[in-house]
Amino acid sequence: MKPSVLVCRAVFPDIVDRLREYFEVETNEADVVWSPAELIQHLQGKAGVFITGTQPIDTALLEACPQLKAVCSMAVGYNNVDLPACTAHGVLVSNAPDVLTETTADFGFALMMAAARRIAESEHFLRSGAWTKWSVDAFAGSDVHGATLGVLGMGRIGRGVARRGALGFGMKVIYHNRSHLDAATEAALGARYVSKEALLREADHLVIVVPYSAAAHHLIGAAELALMKPTATLTNIARGGIVDDAALAQALRDKRIAAAGLDVFEGEPAVHPDLLTVPNVVLTPHIASSSLPTRRAMANLAADNLIAALGLGPNKGKPPTALNPEVLA
Ligand code: GLV
């Protein structure tokens, strides 16, 4: 008998069909966002689960689902999964790195440019019918080319953003990260490691790409925003909660900083009401990795991991992007 797996959200049908070659598959065609209790109910008897970056996988769930052996996410960020608890329960966890790096870096760059050049704000103005004449200083923003790009979190996506800035737009790149880049990468990007404080003070355009963890909660709040240039922009493509959204809305309203681009929010899909009323922020609904080829690649990678984690398919026993491969050893 085929093992049973659960696919938590509506996923490309051909990828679900690929899973059906190996598994009895329960899907969520209606794309309902299940509560933790509903998720536990759907997981009864399932050996594996295909998740996204939003379903919480914690000790309570693991204890309620003793048959569960694999949790495979199509997201790169896995702050929704208690990895040590999964390892302790012998549950393999995988995420989806690499396949979304360039697409997400493209989007980070686009949001930063939209904030700097006031694209969303001016588009709303035009659509509202307020455009009656060309004027000299209309929506005068700040330049991106030649400016200083500050990257907070220099992982794969951070490096992608830095590469675009340095090589495509002649930007001076500074960064802050847990570790330094190797000298060759620093030289190729012309990137300079600086303290978090110097990053905030010197960046014309700050792009946040650090993974979420308890330590990263409100890494950027009122005190940090106060260090930034009044002409600076802030872009967050990492996770909600890294930026204190209430403090950011206030800083934008007060013109403490010039503009922001946000793809992620504390408590999303709810958005802090103050962000909805300040004009100088571009807001998008967590879509940085959402090009069709990339979302398909992410889903295919999660499927590959699930098949391999449950001992099947060409990579059996060796899920390509396992986070705790030791549980299969
Ligand atoms: C999206 O936010 C991801 O982590 O893949």
Side-chain angles (χ1 to χ4, degrees), residues 81-243:
V81 178
D82 184 338
L83 184 60
C86 286
T87 304
H89 284 78
V91 174
L92 185 287
V93 181
S94 65
N95 68 337
D98 301 321
V99 289
L100 48 55
T101 300
E102 299 303 327
T103 298
T104 305
D106 280 351
F107 195 85
F109 216 84
L111 259 189
M112 183 251 280
M113 291 196 75
R117 297 302 309 277
R118 305 178 65 179
I119 290 176
E121 196 184 345
S122 58
E123 203 231 21
H124 294 152
F125 167 85
L126 182 153
R127 282 183 190 270
S128 76
W131 190 29
T132 54
K133 61 180 192 301
W134 185 93
S135 38
V136 172
D137 62 351
F139 294 99
S142 49
D143 278 323
V144 170
H145 72 274
T148 297
L149 170 64
V151 182
L152 184 57
M154 204 45 133
R156 289 168 283 233
I157 298 169
R159 291 197 295 276
V161 171
R163 223 171 28 247
R164 282 159 177 75
L167 308 181
F169 289 76
M171 297 179 88
K172 191 168 104 188
V173 177
I174 53 176
Y175 73 99
H176 184 73
N177 194 42
R178 262 178 320 194
S179 54
H180 288 234
L181 293 173
D182 60 71
T185 311
E186 273 197 355
L189 298 176
R192 184 164 55 90
Y193 184 95
V194 294
S195 67
K196 182 180 156 197
E197 187 179 310
L199 186 82
L200 294 164
R201 285 189 195 284
E202 291 175 34
D204 293 313
H205 303 294
L206 176 70
V207 180
I208 300 168
V209 211
V210 277
Y212 184 84
S213 65
H217 188 73
H218 287 187
L219 200 58
I220 304 293
E224 289 73 20
L225 292 162
L227 297 176
M228 293 178 68
K229 297 179 184 177
T231 49
T233 71
L234 175 154
T235 295
N236 186 6
I237 51 167
R239 276 289 180 274
I242 294 171
V243 175

Side-chain angles (χ1 to χ4, degrees), residues 53 73-79 96 100 104 237-239 263-264 268 286 288-289 295 298:
S73 177
M74 66 173 276
V76 65
Y78 51 92
N79 53 296
L100 48 55
T104 305
I237 51 167
R239 276 289 180 274
D263 187 48
V264 288
E268 63 184 55
H286 203 148
S289 65
R295 284 282 166 91
M298 294 159 69

